[in-house]
Amino acid sequence: MTEPNVLVLDAPSNLGLNPPEEGSTPGCYKLPWALHDRNLMDLINAGDAGSLVPPRYLAHWEPGEGDRNAESIANYSVELADRLTETIQTEQQVLVLGGDCSILIGNMLALKRRGRFGLVFLDGHSDFRHPGNAKAIGAAAGEDLAIVTGRGDARLVDLEDLGPYVRDEDVAVVGVRENDEHLDELIEAGIDITTSTQMNALNSSQLADRVLQTVSQNTTGFWIHLDVDVVDASEMPAVDCPEEDGPSFSDVAELLSRLLSSPECVGLEITIYDPDLDPTGDCADRIVECLQNAFC
């Protein structure tokens, strides 16, 4: 049997999202099942690193309470960091299947335990809402970049006294839309940004070189966050907040392939795809094809 190219760890948490409607829960926790059912493991020659079961999702929340499910997210983040720490001991790359974007907290915590690491943040949104720029916070999946850079609910930003989990100057945000409300603040913070419009002006080699310069220059390595809502809504409608004017899956796969080929890349997380919004399964097929092209 050949050695696996990558180890796959399931982290199917939906704790960081608001309920899609009263009486329901976000369906992104089903993401791993949909991808496994399409033979993802064999297609990318992956080994199984198991699954970390999340706590129960609680829908009730009141303004002023901070982030919904914050205590559960904090506990799950530490457990996820423990699991990822074990997994990366093999020195194989890791693919973490979410789940919502709050899994970034645990993954970056694991890396912060090891030293200084960079972050490629591939997302259609900046996820930079925090108490300094919003009347209220409430959903950690819309605040994950703020949280890992030290801005946000006090119960999440300094786990194990290790916050912030990544420095502003070690983050490359890629694919955010031009109309994002926090774009100016990201620029002021010194966070490197390539909007979806700017992506179209660069070929994948130029873009990868720019991103790698940011996340690798002063770090031990880097992690990739992929929220599939970065992909244009015409190809990826099965997310809670689809956005137009984004890259294609083909563009994303080509960029990922170049980033994953770097020896400094520890791994990749994928988030937000909701099988409940994909009755035909077409979006799941596109995600699997994207990952196959990226890893193989």
Side-chain angles (χ1 to χ4, degrees):
M1 182 176 294
T2 60
E3 187 76 8
N5 292 331
V6 59
L7 297 176
V8 174
L9 172 63
D10 295 350
S13 173
N14 61 357
L15 297 169
L17 288 173
N18 294 322
E21 57 188 39
E22 187 174 355
S24 67
T25 59
C28 64
Y29 71 93
K30 303 174 185 179
L31 182 157
W33 304 342
L35 303 194
H36 286 305
D37 193 48
R38 284 160 174 79
N39 205 30
L40 173 67
M41 303 289 283
D42 288 341
L43 290 172
I44 64 172
N45 186 29
D48 187 1
S51 179
L52 182 62
V53 179
R56 182 186 298 275
Y57 177 91
L58 299 178
H60 180 75
W61 175 84
E62 297 290 340
E65 292 181 349
D67 282 333
R68 177 190 309 276
N69 295 308
E71 289 85 1
S72 292
I73 292 172
N75 292 334
Y76 188 75
S77 296
V78 171
E79 292 176 3
L80 179 56
D82 291 341
R83 288 291 292 272
L84 184 60
T85 297
E86 295 172 6
T87 305
I88 58 181
Q89 298 299 329
T90 64
E91 298 186 357
Q92 291 167 295
Q93 287 182 324
V94 182
L95 171 61
V96 180
L97 303 179
D100 69 51
C101 296
S102 67
I103 68 168
L104 179 63
I105 302 169
N107 290 329
M108 294 310 296
L109 173 62
L111 297 181
K112 183 61 183 292
R113 290 172 177 174
R114 297 167 64 93
R116 181 175 175 180
F117 283 78
L119 172 63
V120 181
F121 193 80
L122 262 167
D123 202 307
H125 309 92
S126 65
D127 291 358
F128 209 65
R129 182 177 62 246
H130 59 82
N133 63 21
K135 292 182 179 179
I137 56 174
E143 303 159 7
D144 47 297
L145 181 57
I147 290 169
V148 297
T149 56
R151 306 162 173 91
D153 193 307
R155 294 167 291 181
L156 299 175
V157 298
D158 196 25
L159 298 172
E160 301 178 357
D161 297 321
L162 288 175
Y165 314 123
V166 62
R167 301 186 188 187
D168 292 345
E169 62 267 29
D170 296 334
V171 177
V173 172
V174 182
V176 66
R177 303 310 194 254
E178 296 275 355
N179 61 353
D180 190 280
E181 62 180 318
H182 302 306
L183 210 57
D184 289 341
E185 187 177 358
L186 292 176
I187 294 170
E188 185 176 345
I191 294 175
D192 186 71
I193 301 168
T194 305
T195 66
S196 59
T197 301
Q198 291 169 332
M199 286 181 71
N200 294 330
L202 299 170
N203 62 44
S204 61
S205 178
Q206 292 171 322
L207 179 55
D209 288 346
R210 170 176 172 167
V211 169
L212 288 170
Q213 175 71 11
T214 298
V215 301
S216 299
Q217 186 174 17
N218 298 305
T219 67
T220 304
F222 66 91
W223 184 256
I224 305 171
H225 163 82
L226 172 61
D227 180 336
V228 292
D229 72 15
V230 72
V231 176
D232 191 87
S234 63
E235 293 189 24
M236 180 40 66
V239 293
D240 61 331
C241 192
E243 296 284 353
E244 297 179 347
D245 301 321
S248 67
F249 265 116
S250 177
D251 293 335
V252 170
E254 192 169 351
L255 175 60
L256 287 176
S257 178
R258 292 182 181 277
L259 296 176
L260 289 165
S261 67
S262 168
E264 283 78 37
C265 182
V266 178
L268 162 71
E269 68 186 41
I270 183 168
T271 65
I272 291 299
Y273 164 66
D274 187 341
D276 290 345
L277 304 176
D278 186 26
T280 65
D282 289 345
C283 291
D285 291 338
R286 293 173 190 141
I287 294 172
V288 169
E289 182 181 12
C290 175
L291 292 174
Q292 184 180 10
N293 290 335
F295 277 103
C296 299

